[in-house]
Amino acid sequence: MQSVTFRLLEVFQSIVDNGSITAASTALSLSQPTVSLQLKKLTSVVGMPLFVQTYGQLTLTEAGEAVYQCAQEVLGSHSRLESQIQALQGVEVGILKIAVVTTAKYVIPPILSPFCQQHPNIDVRFTVGNRATIIDRLQHNQDDIYIFSQPPVDDSLQCTPFMQNKLVVIAPKDFDGPDNCNLQTLSQYKFLLREFGSGTRRAIQEYCDDNGITFNNPMIIESNEAIRLAVTSGLGLAILSEHTLAQTPTDGVKILNVTDFPLVNHWQAVTVKHRQISLAAQAFHRALLNVE
Ligand code: PGA
C-alpha cells in the first residue's frame, strides 16, 4: 500500500489554501493534471473523499479536515526543523508566513522591505484579506503572524500593539456641505462603506451604534482604493484609515474635521500562543515592535 508523502500533503495543503486545483497548480508551478493526479493518489491512500463540490467550490470533508490538520502539523514542523538546522549552521533562512487585513497592506511592506534586505534568504509568504478572511486563516493556524487592528478576543492569542491606525472622514475636494461638525450631521449624505467582515467597517459600526447614528442608504464597496476613487469622483463621503490616503494621490479628497475623529485604534501583531513560530517569524515580530 502507498503511504502519505510530504509531497502529497504539500499539494493538498496548497489546494485548500488556494481554493482550487487550478490556483494550486499556479502556486506550485505544476500542471493541472499533475495536481489532480496527486489529489487522486492521496484520496486513494486515505480511502475516503477529501473534498465535496458545493456550488462549484471545493469544501473539505471531515476526512479532508483531518488530513489538512495533519498537513499543517507535519509541514509546519518540517519547515521549523529546516530553519532550526540552518540557524544552527549560522545561515538565517526560513519561512515567514504573514497574513494581514486589507488596510494593513499599506503598513507592512515598508517594514518588510528593509527586513528582507537584511535577511535576503528568508522566504516570505504574504497574504492579504479582509478581517473575516484573516480570522479564518488564524482559525486554521495557517500563518506565523497576523496583523489586525481588531484581533478576535481569544485567550490563546498573543496580541502586541505596534502602531496607531487612525480612521478619518473624507469628502470630495469641492464638498461644500458641513465641516467642523459631528458624524450625525453628515449622516444624511451618501456614505461609501467597506463590507461587513471588514475591520474598518466594524470600527465605524461600533462608533455609530454607541452614538445612535444610521447612514442613509450607504453604498458598500469592498476596496479602500475604490472607495477613495469614488469619493474623488463625487459619489459620496467615506471613513477610511489614514494609511490608505498616505501612499496614494489625494488631490481629489479632503479630510473633514469631525467630532471624535480620527477614531484611533492600534495595529497589533498577533500570534497563536501554542504555535511554535519560525525563527524568521520571530525576527520579523521583533522588527515590528521596533517600528517608531
Ligand atoms: P479591513 O481591516 O482592511 O478588513 O477593514 C482593517 C482593520 O482591521 O482595521
Side-chain angles (χ1 to χ4, degrees):
M1 179 178 136
Q2 285 176 329
S3 51
V4 177
T5 61
F6 274 109
R7 190 56 179 155
L8 290 178
L9 289 178
E10 208 166 45
V11 170
F12 180 69
Q13 188 186 48
S14 181
I15 298 172
V16 178
D17 290 351
N18 290 289
S20 71
I21 290 177
T22 315
S25 62
T26 310
L28 295 166
S29 307
L30 291 174
S31 72
Q32 213 169 310
T34 307
V35 173
S36 301
L37 189 68
Q38 303 277 54
L39 176 60
K40 223 166 151 189
K41 266 193 198 165
L42 184 60
T43 309
S44 112
V45 171
V46 174
M48 292 173 85
L50 302 177
F51 290 112
V52 284
Q53 189 103 11
T54 348
Y55 301 111
Q57 281 207 324
L58 290 178
T59 311
L60 286 171
T61 60
E62 213 171 311
E65 287 280 2
V67 174
Y68 184 66
Q69 177 79 27
C70 164
Q72 299 276 84
E73 286 166 13
V74 171
L75 299 173
S77 123
H78 183 242
S79 91
R80 273 193 307 280
L81 173 66
E82 269 182 352
S83 75
Q84 275 163 354
I85 298 288
Q86 277 148 353
L88 288 173
Q89 289 170 335
V91 187
E92 212 192 34
V93 289
I95 300 176
L96 161 60
K97 290 187 184 170
I98 175 162
V100 314
V101 291
T102 326
T103 309
K105 75 179 178 195
Y106 304 94
V107 176
I108 298 303
I111 306 169
L112 197 51
S113 166
F115 178 80
C116 288
Q117 275 163 21
Q118 272 172 25
H119 309 278
N121 294 319
I122 288 179
D123 175 4
V124 180
R125 316 261 169 99
F126 185 67
T127 305
V128 180
N130 75 14
R131 182 175 182 273
T133 309
I134 302 304
I135 288 180
D136 190 59
R137 289 187 69 87
L138 191 155
Q139 281 164 349
H140 286 94
N141 195 15
Q142 285 180 271
D143 306 279
D144 294 312
I145 301 178
Y146 304 85
I147 307 293
F148 290 99
S149 74
Q150 300 170 65
V153 179
D154 184 337
D155 284 347
S156 68
L157 302 178
Q158 173 152 351
C159 305
T160 317
F162 64 93
M163 189 191 274
Q164 281 191 339
N165 178 33
K166 296 182 183 170
L167 300 182
V168 292
V169 183
I170 57 168
K173 195 84 183 170
D174 57 3
F175 178 67
D176 57 5
D179 197 348
N180 297 309
C181 59
N182 57 27
L183 193 60
Q184 181 76 61
T185 312
L186 293 170
S187 61
Q188 54 176 303
Y189 289 86
K190 181 103 187 151
F191 264 79
L192 315 173
L193 296 179
R194 285 281 306 278
E195 73 284 5
F196 282 110
S198 136
T200 307
R201 175 68 182 268
R202 192 165 183 264
I204 297 167
Q205 198 61 49
E206 268 173 21
Y207 179 81
C208 288
D209 291 348
D210 289 350
N211 292 279
I213 299 169
T214 316
F215 293 114
N216 181 18
N217 194 19
M219 184 187 289
I220 309 304
I221 304 184
E222 295 192 11
S223 146
N224 291 322
E225 286 82 11
I227 290 180
R228 185 181 52 75
L229 290 171
V231 172
T232 304
S233 330
L235 214 56
L237 311 184
I239 302 173
L240 286 182
S241 164
E242 228 176 34
H243 296 296
T244 67
L245 307 174
Q247 283 154 26
T248 46
T250 47
D251 311 347
V253 301
K254 65 175 172 185
I255 295 177
L256 300 182
N257 190 4
V258 177
T259 313
D260 294 335
F261 282 78
L263 297 180
V264 181
N265 51 38
H266 284 83
W267 292 117
Q268 309 209 30
V270 176
T271 50
V272 178
K273 284 181 192 160
H274 66 75
R275 177 181 172 114
Q276 211 183 339
I277 67 171
S278 69
L279 296 173
Q282 289 174 29
F284 187 65
H285 196 267
R286 283 193 297 277
L288 282 174
L289 305 192
N290 284 334
V291 173
E292 313 258 292

